[in-house]
Amino acid sequence: MQSLCLARCIRSLWAPAQTNLLLKLGKVQKYVNCQLQHSKTMENKPWALISEIGALGYPEELIDIMMKRFHVVSHKDFLQNLQLYSPKVQVLFCWNTSPTVEPSLLRLLPSLKVVANGGAGINHLDVPYINSLGVKVTNTPGVVSSATADIALGLLLASARDIITSHQIAVDPNTTSLPTSMMGVDVTGSTMGIVGMGDIGYKIAQRGRGFEMKILYYNRRRRNVKEEQAVGARYCQSLDELLKDSDFVVLAVNLTPETTGLIGHRELSLMRSTATLVNISRGQVVDQDALVDALRSGTIRGAALDVTYPEPLPRSDRTIPWLLVISVMIVDRCQSNT
C-alpha cells in the first residue's frame, strides 16, 4: 500500500514537470523547424543583379531590404565572375538607368525573368526587345508622384520669385544693395497650364489650387467632370490653346515618340513673353536650342527645368550661360542682355 501511495505521489509531481518539458521541447523543435525553413528559403532565393551600392547606386538601407528576398550581386562583381553569376541571375534591377540594359548584357543572362525598373519612366528600356527574350519589364508608377509634383511647384516658385538669383546676390561679398527688380512675378491668381494630366499632373494641379492659381490642362484623355471640379481645372482642346493662355506652362508627360521635341520654336513663340516654362518630365520633350533662342530673344520670361538632355549638360554647352545649373535643377530668370 505504501509503495502504491509513493508511486501516485511521484506521478502527481512528475506530470506538471513532464508537461513543462514537453512544451519546452516543442518550442525547441518549432525553432529548429523555423531555422531549417529559413535556411531552405535562403537557398531558394533568386539571384538579382544591381548596379552598385552607395554613391550613384542603391542606398545601403535599401540593399538590406533587397537581401531579405534576393541574393544580390553588383554589376562590377558580376563582370568579374561571369562563370559563377551568369547562369544564376533571374532579376535585373535597373536604378537611375543603371546598369544599362542593352543586348550585350542581356546575352549574359540566360536565366533572366524580370527587368525591374526603379521608377515610373521606362523610355530608357527597349521593352519590345526585352519581351522578345521572354523577359518581363516592371516599373514603379506613383511612387514619386507627390515628390515630383513638389519639385514642379518648387521650380515654379523659385523662377517666379527669382529665388536662386536673389540668393546669389545676397551672399555675394560685392553686393552693397538689393535691386527691387528682383521681386519677380505673382504666382497667386496666375494661370498654370499643365501638359500631361496623369497622376503627377493631377497632383501639380492640386498644389496649384492651393496657390489660388487658375488651372488649364491638355491631355490625351480628358479627366471626368468631378476630377476637374476638385482642382478647378479647365480642359484645353489643343496644346496651342494652353500655351497662349498660360503664365506658367508645366510639362508632365511621358517621353514617347509623340512627345519627343513637343516644345520647339513654334510652340515657344505661342507663349506669352511673360510666361515661364517648367519641365519635370524628360529633357528630350523640349528642343533645348529652341529654348535658348527663346530666352535670348525674350520670347518667354524664363525656364525652370528639372531635366535636360543629356544629364548633366556638358560644361561647354551653350545652354548653361542661360540656365543656372543647381545640381539637376535649373532655374533662372533669363534676360537678353545677360
Side-chain angles (χ1 to χ4, degrees):
M1 177 65 84
Q2 286 179 343
S3 297
L4 181 61
C5 288
L6 180 62
R8 285 176 177 172
C9 182
I10 290 172
R11 278 201 300 272
S12 66
L13 292 170
W14 168 248
Q18 186 181 35
T19 302
N20 245 354
L21 181 60
L22 288 172
L23 284 171
K24 287 181 179 179
L25 287 172
K27 288 180 179 178
V28 170
Q29 186 61 45
K30 186 176 180 181
Y31 174 77
V32 170
N33 288 340
C34 284
Q35 289 300 103
L36 288 172
Q37 183 63 35
H38 178 68
S39 178
K40 185 177 180 182
T41 302
M42 290 286 285
E43 291 175 2
N44 293 333
K45 286 194 304 184
W47 280 83
L49 175 62
I50 67 169
S51 54
E52 59 178 300
I53 301 174
L56 298 177
Y58 289 81
E60 290 187 12
E61 57 270 25
L62 184 55
I63 291 296
D64 290 340
I65 297 172
M66 295 174 72
M67 289 181 70
K68 293 178 181 179
R69 299 287 183 266
F70 300 94
H71 292 294
V72 177
V73 58
S74 71
H75 189 227
K76 180 180 177 181
D77 291 340
F78 170 80
L79 293 177
Q80 290 178 347
N81 200 337
L82 292 174
Q83 188 175 0
L84 174 63
Y85 296 121
S86 278
K88 294 183 176 182
V89 173
Q90 294 177 290
V91 182
L92 193 165
F93 283 103
C94 186
W95 178 271
N96 195 26
T97 72
S98 185
T100 305
V101 185
E102 52 192 2
S104 59
L105 175 59
L106 295 172
R107 282 194 291 269
L108 299 174
L109 304 171
S111 302
L112 188 64
K113 295 181 179 179
V114 177
V115 172
N117 184 60
I122 54 174
N123 53 282
H124 59 288
L125 300 175
D126 187 345
V127 177
Y129 175 73
I130 296 171
N131 289 163
S132 74
L133 301 175
V135 178
K136 296 184 182 300
V137 175
T138 69
N139 66 342
T140 53
V143 173
V144 294
S145 294
S146 293
T148 307
D150 290 345
I151 286 291
L153 261 292
L155 288 167
L156 188 153
L157 291 168
S159 179
R161 290 301 183 183
D162 291 315
I163 291 175
I164 303 298
T165 309
S166 297
H167 169 73
Q168 291 179 329
I169 293 173
V171 299
D172 188 335
N174 297 316
T175 297
T176 57
S177 63
L178 299 176
T180 56
S181 60
M182 301 306 297
M183 292 176 64
V185 297
D186 285 336
V187 172
T188 301
S190 64
T191 300
M192 177 167 62
I194 302 171
V195 183
M197 193 67 139
D199 189 37
I200 294 174
Y202 195 76
K203 288 180 180 294
I204 293 171
Q206 291 174 325
R207 285 153 176 73
R209 183 69 164 172
F211 282 89
E212 301 175 20
M213 300 181 81
K214 302 178 184 70
I215 308 297
L216 307 179
Y217 78 98
Y218 174 69
N219 201 42
R220 288 178 302 174
R221 177 184 61 83
R222 182 173 180 174
R223 289 270 186 170
N224 63 52
V225 175
K226 186 176 180 181
E227 290 172 329
E228 290 180 344
Q229 290 177 343
V231 293
R234 176 171 71 82
Y235 178 68
C236 293
Q237 296 291 338
S238 69
L239 175 60
D240 289 4
E241 178 187 350
L242 179 143
L243 295 173
K244 292 175 182 177
D245 294 342
S246 301
D247 298 306
F248 298 92
V249 175
V250 182
L251 305 178
V253 296
N254 293 323
L255 182 63
T256 66
E258 291 73 30
T259 61
T260 300
L262 180 68
I263 303 299
H265 287 285
R266 190 190 75 84
E267 289 74 24
L268 290 164
S269 69
L270 295 175
M271 292 174 61
R272 297 173 176 178
S273 60
T274 55
T276 297
L277 180 70
V278 180
N279 187 12
I280 50 88
S281 55
R282 289 291 186 270
Q284 297 97 313
V285 171
V286 177
D287 179 337
Q288 287 179 171
D289 287 336
L291 178 58
V292 170
D293 290 342
L295 293 168
R296 278 178 167 171
S297 63
T299 301
I300 63 173
R301 175 183 180 272
L305 313 179
D306 181 46
V307 287
T308 61
Y309 183 76
E311 288 182 359
L313 289 171
R315 297 303 88 183
S316 59
D317 195 287
R318 68 190 285 266
T319 306
I320 289 180
W322 292 88
L323 301 174
L324 181 62
V325 180
I326 306 294
S327 184
V328 296
M329 183 173 75
I330 303 174
V331 179
D332 196 16
R333 176 186 177 185
C334 300
Q335 298 175 335
S336 58
N337 60 352
T338 300

